[in-house]
């Protein structure tokens, strides 16, 4: 079993698309290990996207991720990381395949509805960024 972290981003939460996105994730066979709605501080957004700090869009990305509530979701499935990346589609919705979450709900390369971990190692680390093991265990006892 693998873990991956989904985040429903502020654009999708504001448009009331969280429920439809969670339904697509569950219908694709992912188990929700833990989930919450929260608002990131600038420090949290900066730390979460630290890997992108040299990229030109880093400031814009951090501002956007703090602009409203987000819904982080810890997911579990066999092949979760790759399968979830396939479900969300390309970063740029113009390039996202039909039937993907980003094709349906993203409005631009920046405001693209959802986050997804990009490796098995990052899946574990990003789940731990938002959820403790005891919280996950309590949710699934
Ligand atoms: P992904 O989310 O598909 O893994 P990246 O890791 O490359 O994409 O980028 C992280 C996030 O940064 C994207 O989801 C998007 O919100 C934002 N982003 C990426 N590229 C751009 C860009 N060229 N302009 C604005 N925002 C961007
Ligand atoms: Mg990425």
């Amino acid at each position: 079993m693998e873990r991956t972290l989904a985040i429903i981003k502020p654009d999708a939460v504001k448009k009331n698309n969280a429920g439809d996105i969670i339904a697509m994730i569950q219908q694709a066979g992912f188990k929700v290990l833990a989930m919450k709605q929260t608002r990131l501080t600038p420090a949290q957004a900066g730390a979460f996207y630290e890997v992108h700090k040299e990229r030109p869009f880093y400031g814009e990305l951090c501002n956007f991720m703090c602009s409203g509530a987000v819904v982080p979701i810890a997911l579990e499935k066999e092949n979760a990381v790759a399968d979830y990346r396939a479900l969300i589609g390309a970063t740029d919705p113009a390039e996202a395949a039909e039937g993907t979450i980003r094709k349906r709900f993203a409005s631009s390369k920046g405001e693209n509805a959802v986050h997804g971990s990009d490796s098995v190692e990052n899946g574990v680390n990003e789940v731990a960024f938002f959820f403790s093991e005891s919280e996950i265990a309590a949710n699934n006892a």
Side-chain angles (χ1 to χ4, degrees), residues 60-94:
E60 180 190 337
L61 172 60
C62 292
N63 285 339
F64 165 58
M65 290 301 289
C66 295
S67 68
V70 295
V71 180
I73 313 171
L75 297 172
E76 183 181 74
K77 187 182 177 298
E78 275 178 28
N79 206 37
V81 172
D83 285 0
Y84 179 73
R85 295 292 308 195
L87 177 66
I88 68 177
T91 309
D92 183 348

PDB file of all heavy atoms in Angstrom, residues 60-94:
ATOM      1  N   GLU A  60       3.878  33.606  -5.994  1.00  0.00           N
ATOM      2  CA  GLU A  60       2.475  33.550  -6.451  1.00  0.00           C
ATOM      3  C   GLU A  60       1.786  32.293  -5.903  1.00  0.00           C
ATOM      4  O   GLU A  60       0.645  32.331  -5.429  1.00  0.00           O
ATOM      5  CB  GLU A  60       2.488  33.542  -7.988  1.00  0.00           C
ATOM      6  CG  GLU A  60       1.155  33.489  -8.676  1.00  0.00           C
ATOM      7  CD  GLU A  60       1.302  33.240 -10.184  1.00  0.00           C
ATOM      8  OE1 GLU A  60       2.374  33.531 -10.753  1.00  0.00           O
ATOM      9  OE2 GLU A  60       0.334  32.745 -10.782  1.00  0.00           O
ATOM     10  N   LEU A  61       2.492  31.169  -5.962  1.00  0.00           N
ATOM     11  CA  LEU A  61       1.944  29.893  -5.494  1.00  0.00           C
ATOM     12  C   LEU A  61       1.651  29.953  -3.988  1.00  0.00           C
ATOM     13  O   LEU A  61       0.567  29.541  -3.536  1.00  0.00           O
ATOM     14  CB  LEU A  61       2.945  28.774  -5.813  1.00  0.00           C
ATOM     15  CG  LEU A  61       2.657  27.385  -5.246  1.00  0.00           C
ATOM     16  CD1 LEU A  61       1.328  26.841  -5.759  1.00  0.00           C
ATOM     17  CD2 LEU A  61       3.804  26.428  -5.621  1.00  0.00           C
ATOM     18  N   CYS A  62       2.595  30.479  -3.213  1.00  0.00           N
ATOM     19  CA  CYS A  62       2.393  30.550  -1.754  1.00  0.00           C
ATOM     20  C   CYS A  62       1.243  31.491  -1.412  1.00  0.00           C
ATOM     21  O   CYS A  62       0.415  31.171  -0.550  1.00  0.00           O
ATOM     22  CB  CYS A  62       3.683  30.964  -1.058  1.00  0.00           C
ATOM     23  SG  CYS A  62       4.958  29.696  -1.174  1.00  0.00           S
ATOM     24  N   ASN A  63       1.167  32.635  -2.100  1.00  0.00           N
ATOM     25  CA  ASN A  63       0.049  33.565  -1.864  1.00  0.00           C
ATOM     26  C   ASN A  63      -1.288  32.894  -2.184  1.00  0.00           C
ATOM     27  O   ASN A  63      -2.254  33.012  -1.429  1.00  0.00           O
ATOM     28  CB  ASN A  63       0.190  34.826  -2.718  1.00  0.00           C
ATOM     29  CG  ASN A  63       1.246  35.756  -2.186  1.00  0.00           C
ATOM     30  OD1 ASN A  63       1.606  35.693  -1.014  1.00  0.00           O
ATOM     31  ND2 ASN A  63       1.763  36.617  -3.057  1.00  0.00           N
ATOM     32  N   PHE A  64      -1.332  32.229  -3.312  1.00  0.00           N
ATOM     33  CA  PHE A  64      -2.570  31.545  -3.718  1.00  0.00           C
ATOM     34  C   PHE A  64      -2.977  30.492  -2.695  1.00  0.00           C
ATOM     35  O   PHE A  64      -4.157  30.417  -2.292  1.00  0.00           O
ATOM     36  CB  PHE A  64      -2.377  30.920  -5.103  1.00  0.00           C
ATOM     37  CG  PHE A  64      -3.427  29.921  -5.473  1.00  0.00           C
ATOM     38  CD1 PHE A  64      -4.773  30.272  -5.496  1.00  0.00           C
ATOM     39  CD2 PHE A  64      -3.078  28.618  -5.798  1.00  0.00           C
ATOM     40  CE1 PHE A  64      -5.744  29.336  -5.819  1.00  0.00           C
ATOM     41  CE2 PHE A  64      -4.039  27.685  -6.130  1.00  0.00           C
ATOM     42  CZ  PHE A  64      -5.382  28.034  -6.133  1.00  0.00           C
ATOM     43  N   MET A  65      -2.014  29.688  -2.231  1.00  0.00           N
ATOM     44  CA  MET A  65      -2.361  28.598  -1.308  1.00  0.00           C
ATOM     45  C   MET A  65      -2.825  29.108   0.059  1.00  0.00           C
ATOM     46  O   MET A  65      -3.450  28.366   0.814  1.00  0.00           O
ATOM     47  CB  MET A  65      -1.169  27.643  -1.161  1.00  0.00           C
ATOM     48  CG  MET A  65      -0.883  26.830  -2.415  1.00  0.00           C
ATOM     49  SD  MET A  65      -2.274  25.788  -2.969  1.00  0.00           S
ATOM     50  CE  MET A  65      -2.278  24.517  -1.687  1.00  0.00           C
ATOM     51  N   CYS A  66      -2.519  30.398   0.357  1.00  0.00           N
ATOM     52  CA  CYS A  66      -2.981  31.018   1.609  1.00  0.00           C
ATOM     53  C   CYS A  66      -4.242  31.839   1.416  1.00  0.00           C
ATOM     54  O   CYS A  66      -4.739  32.441   2.370  1.00  0.00           O
ATOM     55  CB  CYS A  66      -1.924  31.974   2.145  1.00  0.00           C
ATOM     56  SG  CYS A  66      -0.429  31.172   2.614  1.00  0.00           S
ATOM     57  N   SER A  67      -4.753  31.907   0.197  1.00  0.00           N
ATOM     58  CA  SER A  67      -5.819  32.860  -0.124  1.00  0.00           C
ATOM     59  C   SER A  67      -7.197  32.409   0.355  1.00  0.00           C
ATOM     60  O   SER A  67      -8.162  33.171   0.264  1.00  0.00           O
ATOM     61  CB  SER A  67      -5.851  33.125  -1.633  1.00  0.00           C
ATOM     62  OG  SER A  67      -6.269  31.954  -2.331  1.00  0.00           O
ATOM     63  N   GLY A  68      -7.302  31.206   0.856  1.00  0.00           N
ATOM     64  CA  GLY A  68      -8.582  30.688   1.339  1.00  0.00           C
ATOM     65  C   GLY A  68      -8.360  29.312   1.937  1.00  0.00           C
ATOM     66  O   GLY A  68      -7.226  28.834   2.031  1.00  0.00           O
ATOM     67  N   ALA A  69      -9.450  28.681   2.316  1.00  0.00           N
ATOM     68  CA  ALA A  69      -9.347  27.358   2.927  1.00  0.00           C
ATOM     69  C   ALA A  69      -8.868  26.314   1.916  1.00  0.00           C
ATOM     70  O   ALA A  69      -9.114  26.434   0.708  1.00  0.00           O
ATOM     71  CB  ALA A  69     -10.709  26.941   3.476  1.00  0.00           C
ATOM     72  N   VAL A  70      -8.177  25.314   2.433  1.00  0.00           N
ATOM     73  CA  VAL A  70      -7.770  24.145   1.647  1.00  0.00           C
ATOM     74  C   VAL A  70      -8.253  22.883   2.362  1.00  0.00           C
ATOM     75  O   VAL A  70      -8.564  22.922   3.555  1.00  0.00           O
ATOM     76  CB  VAL A  70      -6.232  24.063   1.464  1.00  0.00           C
ATOM     77  CG1 VAL A  70      -5.713  25.230   0.638  1.00  0.00           C
ATOM     78  CG2 VAL A  70      -5.513  23.989   2.818  1.00  0.00           C
ATOM     79  N   VAL A  71      -8.314  21.780   1.620  1.00  0.00           N
ATOM     80  CA  VAL A  71      -8.716  20.496   2.207  1.00  0.00           C
ATOM     81  C   VAL A  71      -7.626  19.461   1.921  1.00  0.00           C
ATOM     82  O   VAL A  71      -7.600  18.864   0.843  1.00  0.00           O
ATOM     83  CB  VAL A  71     -10.078  20.014   1.653  1.00  0.00           C
ATOM     84  CG1 VAL A  71     -10.469  18.664   2.275  1.00  0.00           C
ATOM     85  CG2 VAL A  71     -11.176  21.036   1.916  1.00  0.00           C
ATOM     86  N   PRO A  72      -6.674  19.291   2.859  1.00  0.00           N
ATOM     87  CA  PRO A  72      -5.680  18.221   2.707  1.00  0.00           C
ATOM     88  C   PRO A  72      -6.333  16.868   2.990  1.00  0.00           C
ATOM     89  O   PRO A  72      -7.142  16.755   3.915  1.00  0.00           O
ATOM     90  CB  PRO A  72      -4.619  18.533   3.762  1.00  0.00           C
ATOM     91  CG  PRO A  72      -5.027  19.809   4.431  1.00  0.00           C
ATOM     92  CD  PRO A  72      -6.459  20.082   4.073  1.00  0.00           C
ATOM     93  N   ILE A  73      -5.973  15.874   2.192  1.00  0.00           N
ATOM     94  CA  ILE A  73      -6.554  14.530   2.331  1.00  0.00           C
ATOM     95  C   ILE A  73      -5.427  13.506   2.217  1.00  0.00           C
ATOM     96  O   ILE A  73      -4.728  13.463   1.191  1.00  0.00           O
ATOM     97  CB  ILE A  73      -7.597  14.231   1.230  1.00  0.00           C
ATOM     98  CG1 ILE A  73      -8.583  15.386   1.061  1.00  0.00           C
ATOM     99  CG2 ILE A  73      -8.336  12.930   1.535  1.00  0.00           C
ATOM    100  CD1 ILE A  73      -9.503  15.229  -0.159  1.00  0.00           C
ATOM    101  N   ALA A  74      -5.269  12.698   3.255  1.00  0.00           N
ATOM    102  CA  ALA A  74      -4.303  11.599   3.221  1.00  0.00           C
ATOM    103  C   ALA A  74      -4.976  10.399   2.573  1.00  0.00           C
ATOM    104  O   ALA A  74      -6.015   9.941   3.047  1.00  0.00           O
ATOM    105  CB  ALA A  74      -3.850  11.250   4.636  1.00  0.00           C
ATOM    106  N   LEU A  75      -4.378   9.912   1.489  1.00  0.00           N
ATOM    107  CA  LEU A  75      -4.980   8.825   0.711  1.00  0.00           C
ATOM    108  C   LEU A  75      -4.109   7.585   0.733  1.00  0.00           C
ATOM    109  O   LEU A  75      -2.875   7.682   0.774  1.00  0.00           O
ATOM    110  CB  LEU A  75      -5.162   9.267  -0.747  1.00  0.00           C
ATOM    111  CG  LEU A  75      -6.110  10.433  -0.974  1.00  0.00           C
ATOM    112  CD1 LEU A  75      -6.050  10.881  -2.430  1.00  0.00           C
ATOM    113  CD2 LEU A  75      -7.534  10.053  -0.584  1.00  0.00           C
ATOM    114  N   GLU A  76      -4.762   6.423   0.624  1.00  0.00           N
ATOM    115  CA  GLU A  76      -4.059   5.141   0.571  1.00  0.00           C
ATOM    116  C   GLU A  76      -4.644   4.276  -0.537  1.00  0.00           C
ATOM    117  O   GLU A  76      -5.868   4.238  -0.728  1.00  0.00           O
ATOM    118  CB  GLU A  76      -4.199   4.416   1.909  1.00  0.00           C
ATOM    119  CG  GLU A  76      -3.429   3.097   1.964  1.00  0.00           C
ATOM    120  CD  GLU A  76      -3.609   2.411   3.306  1.00  0.00           C
ATOM    121  OE1 GLU A  76      -4.705   1.859   3.532  1.00  0.00           O
ATOM    122  OE2 GLU A  76      -2.660   2.428   4.098  1.00  0.00           O
ATOM    123  N   LYS A  77      -3.761   3.617  -1.247  1.00  0.00           N
ATOM    124  CA  LYS A  77      -4.173   2.725  -2.343  1.00  0.00           C
ATOM    125  C   LYS A  77      -2.909   2.015  -2.826  1.00  0.00           C
ATOM    126  O   LYS A  77      -1.813   2.533  -2.640  1.00  0.00           O
ATOM    127  CB  LYS A  77      -4.763   3.575  -3.487  1.00  0.00           C
ATOM    128  CG  LYS A  77      -5.396   2.809  -4.645  1.00  0.00           C
ATOM    129  CD  LYS A  77      -5.869   3.801  -5.708  1.00  0.00           C
ATOM    130  CE  LYS A  77      -6.430   3.090  -6.912  1.00  0.00           C
ATOM    131  NZ  LYS A  77      -5.418   2.246  -7.570  1.00  0.00           N
ATOM    132  N   GLU A  78      -3.055   0.883  -3.463  1.00  0.00           N
ATOM    133  CA  GLU A  78      -1.909   0.334  -4.186  1.00  0.00           C
ATOM    134  C   GLU A  78      -1.563   1.313  -5.300  1.00  0.00           C
ATOM    135  O   GLU A  78      -2.462   1.833  -5.969  1.00  0.00           O
ATOM    136  CB  GLU A  78      -2.276  -1.023  -4.815  1.00  0.00           C
ATOM    137  CG  GLU A  78      -2.101  -2.177  -3.854  1.00  0.00           C
ATOM    138  CD  GLU A  78      -2.514  -3.506  -4.482  1.00  0.00           C
ATOM    139  OE1 GLU A  78      -2.416  -3.642  -5.710  1.00  0.00           O
ATOM    140  OE2 GLU A  78      -2.949  -4.369  -3.701  1.00  0.00           O
ATOM    141  N   ASN A  79      -0.278   1.588  -5.486  1.00  0.00           N
ATOM    142  CA  ASN A  79       0.155   2.494  -6.563  1.00  0.00           C
ATOM    143  C   ASN A  79      -0.487   3.885  -6.450  1.00  0.00           C
ATOM    144  O   ASN A  79      -0.776   4.541  -7.459  1.00  0.00           O
ATOM    145  CB  ASN A  79      -0.188   1.856  -7.916  1.00  0.00           C
ATOM    146  CG  ASN A  79       0.713   2.343  -9.031  1.00  0.00           C
ATOM    147  OD1 ASN A  79       1.911   2.566  -8.817  1.00  0.00           O
ATOM    148  ND2 ASN A  79       0.159   2.548 -10.211  1.00  0.00           N
ATOM    149  N   ALA A  80      -0.693   4.325  -5.191  1.00  0.00           N
ATOM    150  CA  ALA A  80      -1.445   5.566  -4.957  1.00  0.00           C
ATOM    151  C   ALA A  80      -0.846   6.791  -5.638  1.00  0.00           C
ATOM    152  O   ALA A  80      -1.584   7.615  -6.187  1.00  0.00           O
ATOM    153  CB  ALA A  80      -1.552   5.824  -3.449  1.00  0.00           C
ATOM    154  N   VAL A  81       0.471   6.917  -5.589  1.00  0.00           N
ATOM    155  CA  VAL A  81       1.091   8.148  -6.111  1.00  0.00           C
ATOM    156  C   VAL A  81       0.836   8.284  -7.610  1.00  0.00           C
ATOM    157  O   VAL A  81       0.298   9.295  -8.079  1.00  0.00           O
ATOM    158  CB  VAL A  81       2.602   8.175  -5.790  1.00  0.00           C
ATOM    159  CG1 VAL A  81       3.286   9.340  -6.502  1.00  0.00           C
ATOM    160  CG2 VAL A  81       2.795   8.298  -4.274  1.00  0.00           C
ATOM    161  N   ALA A  82       1.179   7.260  -8.374  1.00  0.00           N
ATOM    162  CA  ALA A  82       0.997   7.332  -9.836  1.00  0.00           C
ATOM    163  C   ALA A  82      -0.479   7.354 -10.207  1.00  0.00           C
ATOM    164  O   ALA A  82      -0.888   8.093 -11.118  1.00  0.00           O
ATOM    165  CB  ALA A  82       1.703   6.147 -10.506  1.00  0.00           C
ATOM    166  N   ASP A  83      -1.289   6.549  -9.524  1.00  0.00           N
ATOM    167  CA  ASP A  83      -2.724   6.500  -9.867  1.00  0.00           C
ATOM    168  C   ASP A  83      -3.407   7.839  -9.576  1.00  0.00           C
ATOM    169  O   ASP A  83      -4.278   8.276 -10.340  1.00  0.00           O
ATOM    170  CB  ASP A  83      -3.437   5.375  -9.106  1.00  0.00           C
ATOM    171  CG  ASP A  83      -3.119   3.999  -9.678  1.00  0.00           C
ATOM    172  OD1 ASP A  83      -2.348   3.923 -10.661  1.00  0.00           O
ATOM    173  OD2 ASP A  83      -3.633   3.009  -9.130  1.00  0.00           O
ATOM    174  N   TYR A  84      -3.007   8.495  -8.495  1.00  0.00           N
ATOM    175  CA  TYR A  84      -3.617   9.799  -8.186  1.00  0.00           C
ATOM    176  C   TYR A  84      -3.137  10.870  -9.170  1.00  0.00           C
ATOM    177  O   TYR A  84      -3.925  11.721  -9.596  1.00  0.00           O
ATOM    178  CB  TYR A  84      -3.337  10.190  -6.727  1.00  0.00           C
ATOM    179  CG  TYR A  84      -3.912  11.533  -6.372  1.00  0.00           C
ATOM    180  CD1 TYR A  84      -5.287  11.724  -6.212  1.00  0.00           C
ATOM    181  CD2 TYR A  84      -3.079  12.647  -6.239  1.00  0.00           C
ATOM    182  CE1 TYR A  84      -5.814  12.974  -5.932  1.00  0.00           C
ATOM    183  CE2 TYR A  84      -3.600  13.902  -5.957  1.00  0.00           C
ATOM    184  CZ  TYR A  84      -4.965  14.054  -5.805  1.00  0.00           C
ATOM    185  OH  TYR A  84      -5.477  15.307  -5.535  1.00  0.00           O
ATOM    186  N   ARG A  85      -1.865  10.816  -9.557  1.00  0.00           N
ATOM    187  CA  ARG A  85      -1.386  11.769 -10.575  1.00  0.00           C
ATOM    188  C   ARG A  85      -2.174  11.569 -11.874  1.00  0.00           C
ATOM    189  O   ARG A  85      -2.515  12.534 -12.563  1.00  0.00           O
ATOM    190  CB  ARG A  85       0.117  11.596 -10.848  1.00  0.00           C
ATOM    191  CG  ARG A  85       1.060  11.903  -9.710  1.00  0.00           C
ATOM    192  CD  ARG A  85       1.135  13.343  -9.292  1.00  0.00           C
ATOM    193  NE  ARG A  85       1.380  14.299 -10.341  1.00  0.00           N
ATOM    194  CZ  ARG A  85       1.752  15.567 -10.109  1.00  0.00           C
ATOM    195  NH1 ARG A  85       1.957  16.000  -8.866  1.00  0.00           N
ATOM    196  NH2 ARG A  85       1.927  16.399 -11.102  1.00  0.00           N
ATOM    197  N   ALA A  86      -2.455  10.338 -12.229  1.00  0.00           N
ATOM    198  CA  ALA A  86      -3.246  10.078 -13.448  1.00  0.00           C
ATOM    199  C   ALA A  86      -4.661  10.621 -13.294  1.00  0.00           C
ATOM    200  O   ALA A  86      -5.234  11.171 -14.242  1.00  0.00           O
ATOM    201  CB  ALA A  86      -3.268   8.576 -13.741  1.00  0.00           C
ATOM    202  N   LEU A  87      -5.232  10.483 -12.107  1.00  0.00           N
ATOM    203  CA  LEU A  87      -6.600  10.963 -11.858  1.00  0.00           C
ATOM    204  C   LEU A  87      -6.682  12.487 -11.932  1.00  0.00           C
ATOM    205  O   LEU A  87      -7.679  13.026 -12.421  1.00  0.00           O
ATOM    206  CB  LEU A  87      -7.071  10.474 -10.474  1.00  0.00           C
ATOM    207  CG  LEU A  87      -8.454  10.942 -10.016  1.00  0.00           C
ATOM    208  CD1 LEU A  87      -9.558  10.358 -10.901  1.00  0.00           C
ATOM    209  CD2 LEU A  87      -8.688  10.564  -8.555  1.00  0.00           C
ATOM    210  N   ILE A  88      -5.637  13.195 -11.463  1.00  0.00           N
ATOM    211  CA  ILE A  88      -5.722  14.671 -11.468  1.00  0.00           C
ATOM    212  C   ILE A  88      -5.378  15.258 -12.829  1.00  0.00           C
ATOM    213  O   ILE A  88      -5.901  16.298 -13.180  1.00  0.00           O
ATOM    214  CB  ILE A  88      -4.905  15.339 -10.330  1.00  0.00           C
ATOM    215  CG1 ILE A  88      -3.402  15.179 -10.485  1.00  0.00           C
ATOM    216  CG2 ILE A  88      -5.392  14.849  -8.995  1.00  0.00           C
ATOM    217  CD1 ILE A  88      -2.595  15.917  -9.386  1.00  0.00           C
ATOM    218  N   GLY A  89      -4.519  14.628 -13.603  1.00  0.00           N
ATOM    219  CA  GLY A  89      -4.157  15.156 -14.915  1.00  0.00           C
ATOM    220  C   GLY A  89      -3.018  16.162 -14.841  1.00  0.00           C
ATOM    221  O   GLY A  89      -2.480  16.452 -13.774  1.00  0.00           O
ATOM    222  N   ALA A  90      -2.665  16.718 -15.983  1.00  0.00           N
ATOM    223  CA  ALA A  90      -1.498  17.595 -16.111  1.00  0.00           C
ATOM    224  C   ALA A  90      -1.674  18.879 -15.295  1.00  0.00           C
ATOM    225  O   ALA A  90      -2.797  19.335 -15.054  1.00  0.00           O
ATOM    226  CB  ALA A  90      -1.263  17.938 -17.572  1.00  0.00           C
ATOM    227  N   THR A  91      -0.534  19.470 -14.897  1.00  0.00           N
ATOM    228  CA  THR A  91      -0.518  20.722 -14.118  1.00  0.00           C
ATOM    229  C   THR A  91      -1.341  21.807 -14.801  1.00  0.00           C
ATOM    230  O   THR A  91      -2.102  22.531 -14.154  1.00  0.00           O
ATOM    231  CB  THR A  91       0.942  21.211 -13.960  1.00  0.00           C
ATOM    232  OG1 THR A  91       1.740  20.142 -13.466  1.00  0.00           O
ATOM    233  CG2 THR A  91       1.026  22.403 -13.028  1.00  0.00           C
ATOM    234  N   ASP A  92      -1.154  21.940 -16.119  1.00  0.00           N
ATOM    235  CA  ASP A  92      -1.884  22.942 -16.913  1.00  0.00           C
ATOM    236  C   ASP A  92      -3.189  22.321 -17.408  1.00  0.00           C
ATOM    237  O   ASP A  92      -3.165  21.349 -18.166  1.00  0.00           O
ATOM    238  CB  ASP A  92      -0.999  23.345 -18.096  1.00  0.00           C
ATOM    239  CG  ASP A  92      -1.637  24.442 -18.942  1.00  0.00           C
ATOM    240  OD1 ASP A  92      -2.832  24.733 -18.760  1.00  0.00           O
ATOM    241  OD2 ASP A  92      -0.910  24.994 -19.787  1.00  0.00           O
ATOM    242  N   PRO A  93      -4.338  22.862 -16.981  1.00  0.00           N
ATOM    243  CA  PRO A  93      -5.615  22.226 -17.380  1.00  0.00           C
ATOM    244  C   PRO A  93      -5.792  22.145 -18.895  1.00  0.00           C
ATOM    245  O   PRO A  93      -6.508  21.261 -19.381  1.00  0.00           O
ATOM    246  CB  PRO A  93      -6.682  23.109 -16.736  1.00  0.00           C
ATOM    247  CG  PRO A  93      -5.992  24.372 -16.355  1.00  0.00           C
ATOM    248  CD  PRO A  93      -4.548  24.034 -16.126  1.00  0.00           C
ATOM    249  N   ALA A  94      -5.125  23.021 -19.621  1.00  0.00           N
ATOM    250  CA  ALA A  94      -5.219  22.965 -21.085  1.00  0.00           C
ATOM    251  C   ALA A  94      -4.611  21.670 -21.626  1.00  0.00           C
ATOM    252  O   ALA A  94      -4.954  21.221 -22.722  1.00  0.00           O
ATOM    253  CB  ALA A  94      -4.519  24.172 -21.706  1.00  0.00           C
TER     254      ALA A  94
END
